[in-house]
Amino acid sequence: MDLVIRNASEVVTCDGPLEARAEETLGRLPNSVIGVKNGKIAFLGPESSLPASNATIIDARGGFVGPGFVDCHTHVVFAGDRSDEFEQRCQGKTYLEIAAAGGGIARTVSATRKATEDELVALAKPRLGRLLAQGVTTAEVKSGYGLDVRSELAMLQAIRRLSAEQPIELVATFLGLHAVPVEFKQHRTEWIRICIDELLPLIVKSGLATFCDAFVEQSAFTHDEARMLGERARELGIPLRLHVDQLTANGGAQLASELGAVTADHLEQITPDGIAALKRSGTIAVLAPTSTLFAKARPFAPGRALRDAGVPVALCTNCNPGSSNSESVSLAMGLACVENGLTPAEAYLGFTRVGALALRRPELGRITVGGPADLVVFACDSYRALPYHLAMNEVSVTLKAGRVATHTT
Ligand SMILES: [Zn+2]
């Protein structure tokens, strides 16, 4: 062994049966130690069975150990600051009024286009550092603030570099259909054509993104436009995700189901028909409760109804400068319990086992012998304490591929 974690209250493997009650899926193992070798988990069991070695010891001091968190939906690569817009919203201005005055996504796009790739990397690193401090070892990051060919590619290149230059492994998503760029307002079909016929094939060929995505909303892109992206994505073999049913109920979940999307994200306005459609297609629901809170949008997505219908539910921070300026996994988990109706076990699985499935990375978000040693040692002794201790960070040590990535206490 290279490294052994001992004195844990329990190891929460998240490796129980997925279809069982969440509390069973957690697969909790009391009185267990974890041995790590070559970045993988080499031993999991009682200390009395642990082979003797000169391994480095991490003393969990009675805290519990779980898999590294997977934040399956973020927008952490961007430039610019919108704190003045937040102030205006608190003073009573609406999002639409702010957007009409040149604010909103368009403002982030303008700042992101002016930034160099080096600047985008430098700006994103502290955000990723805060996610790491929250126990995140894998994160998805979307493009979509470039919205021209050069700037979208610069964002994706920045994501690729960031994945190599800091401990969190990043999964890139091409979100060219995030908003209609200002210069294409009068001929939006041309921007859609550029995304589908030029950018998408280039991105697939160069391996710059693992997923593609579109924002389906009255103020963004239509079902037919998302269908065009979905059909091209299918031809090119790149899996699809969709932002749907966030601000208005418009059958977005049914569309995600029809197009075989891996995930349907947001879902604040999903209907019972939409829930049934996700269940049929096996599409994973990704909820972003901090953005519902931050955008002062209501209601929160019906996490309880989704879980009760048998739809897998993942959670994310959706960290972005407009609607969720937060890297707090713990706040998202707490809100998921208080506002989306999940139990603490379901919320915990949303950032582990199910979050990993949302990225089609089933080896992540669970602790298994032979699996990657992406691990978090917590200061508290139970997963329940995470949403219960609202918005506070209980992470003691994070390990990525068996290496200590942060040590906050
Ligand atoms: Zn998003």
Side-chain angles (χ1 to χ4, degrees):
M1 302 292 159
D2 303 327
L3 185 143
V4 168
I5 304 173
R6 56 192 299 270
N7 279 338
S9 60
E10 60 183 8
V11 175
V12 180
T13 65
C14 299
D15 195 36
L18 199 54
E19 285 75 28
R21 286 175 65 244
E23 290 74 12
E24 253 179 83
T25 312
L26 289 180
R28 297 159 65 194
L29 298 176
N31 306 315
S32 290
V33 301
I34 297 177
V36 173
K37 191 165 178 55
N38 296 330
K40 300 239 186 304
I41 293 163
F43 178 86
L44 178 60
E47 188 151 5
S48 54
S49 311
L50 181 73
S53 74
N54 296 322
T56 304
I57 303 290
I58 291 184
D59 185 345
R61 288 183 264 171
F64 83 98
V65 180
F69 288 136
V70 178
D71 189 355
C72 67
H73 178 149
T74 84
H75 304 252
V76 293
V77 171
F78 64 89
D81 175 86
R82 283 159 60 188
S83 55
D84 53 346
E85 291 181 14
F86 178 72
E87 186 172 56
Q88 287 165 15
R89 285 204 289 126
C90 296
Q91 289 165 343
K93 279 225 167 72
T94 67
Y95 196 88
L96 284 177
E97 285 168 344
I98 291 167
I105 287 180
R107 188 144 163 245
T108 299
V109 170
S110 165
T112 302
R113 284 177 177 176
K114 285 188 196 119
T116 63
E117 190 186 302
D118 283 350
E119 286 166 339
L120 291 176
V121 167
L123 286 164
K125 272 187 185 165
R127 297 171 195 138
L128 291 166
R130 287 188 285 273
L131 283 175
L132 183 68
Q134 290 269 328
V136 173
T137 51
T138 304
E140 185 257 22
V141 187
K142 298 174 196 295
S143 72
Y145 291 127
L147 302 187
D148 63 32
V149 171
R150 186 195 64 79
S151 309
E152 282 295 297
L153 293 175
M155 282 192 77
L156 292 169
Q157 291 284 6
I159 296 166
R160 175 179 276 182
R161 268 182 59 191
L162 282 159
S163 193
E165 292 180 16
Q166 53 76 57
I168 299 179
E169 180 182 353
L170 303 182
V171 175
T173 294
F174 170 53
L175 180 59
L177 300 191
H178 192 193
V180 179
V182 181
E183 60 275 24
F184 286 97
K185 281 278 187 253
Q186 303 311 318
H187 34 276
R188 56 187 287 132
T189 52
E190 178 57 10
W191 172 243
I192 295 161
R193 189 199 65 73
I194 290 169
C195 283
I196 292 174
D197 292 342
E198 292 180 25
L199 272 168
L200 191 61
L202 183 67
I203 286 163
V204 171
K205 196 164 165 227
S206 56
L208 272 172
T210 304
F211 295 94
C212 64
D213 195 342
F215 184 22
V216 180
E217 187 57 60
Q218 272 175 16
S219 55
F221 294 93
T222 67
H223 283 215
D224 282 345
E225 289 163 351
R227 253 185 215 106
M228 285 162 62
L229 175 73
E231 281 160 17
R232 193 83 171 100
R234 190 192 302 259
E235 286 167 19
L236 292 167
I238 181 169
L240 179 73
R241 310 180 52 162
L242 288 176
H243 287 64
V244 287
D245 291 336
Q246 181 184 4
L247 305 171
T248 51
N250 67 358
Q254 291 89 325
L255 176 73
S257 167
E258 172 201 321
L259 297 177
V262 179
T263 67
D265 300 45
H266 283 291
L267 302 174
E268 281 86 342
Q269 307 284 346
I270 191 173
T271 60
D273 281 353
I275 293 174
L278 295 186
K279 170 64 183 160
R280 271 198 307 279
S281 56
T283 301
I284 295 171
V286 178
L287 309 188
T290 37
S291 59
T292 322
L293 177 81
F294 194 86
K296 297 206 254 180
R298 296 292 186 276
F300 280 78
R304 180 74 269 128
L306 285 158
R307 281 281 319 195
D308 287 347
V311 176
V313 175
L315 296 174
C316 66
T317 63
N318 186 24
C319 181
N320 78 78
S323 65
S324 181
N325 186 34
S326 173
E327 296 89 348
S328 181
V329 169
S330 48
L331 176 59
M333 248 187 231
L335 287 172
C337 292
V338 176
E339 297 283 6
N340 298 108
L342 299 189
T343 64
E346 289 166 342
Y348 188 71
L349 290 169
F351 269 111
T352 54
R353 179 89 172 265
V354 188
L357 293 176
L359 296 184
R360 287 197 165 169
R361 294 290 300 274
E363 79 281 17
L364 301 176
R366 67 210 290 200
I367 297 177
T368 54
V369 172
D374 292 4
L375 298 163
V376 183
V377 181
F378 292 90
C380 53
D381 65 1
S382 165
Y383 69 92
R384 292 186 200 97
L386 304 184
Y388 173 58
H389 200 180
L390 188 63
M392 301 314 284
N393 192 359
E394 294 281 352
V395 172
S396 177
V397 184
T398 304
L399 293 108
K400 177 66 185 176
R403 298 167 74 120
V404 174
T406 183
H407 203 132
T408 54
T409 58

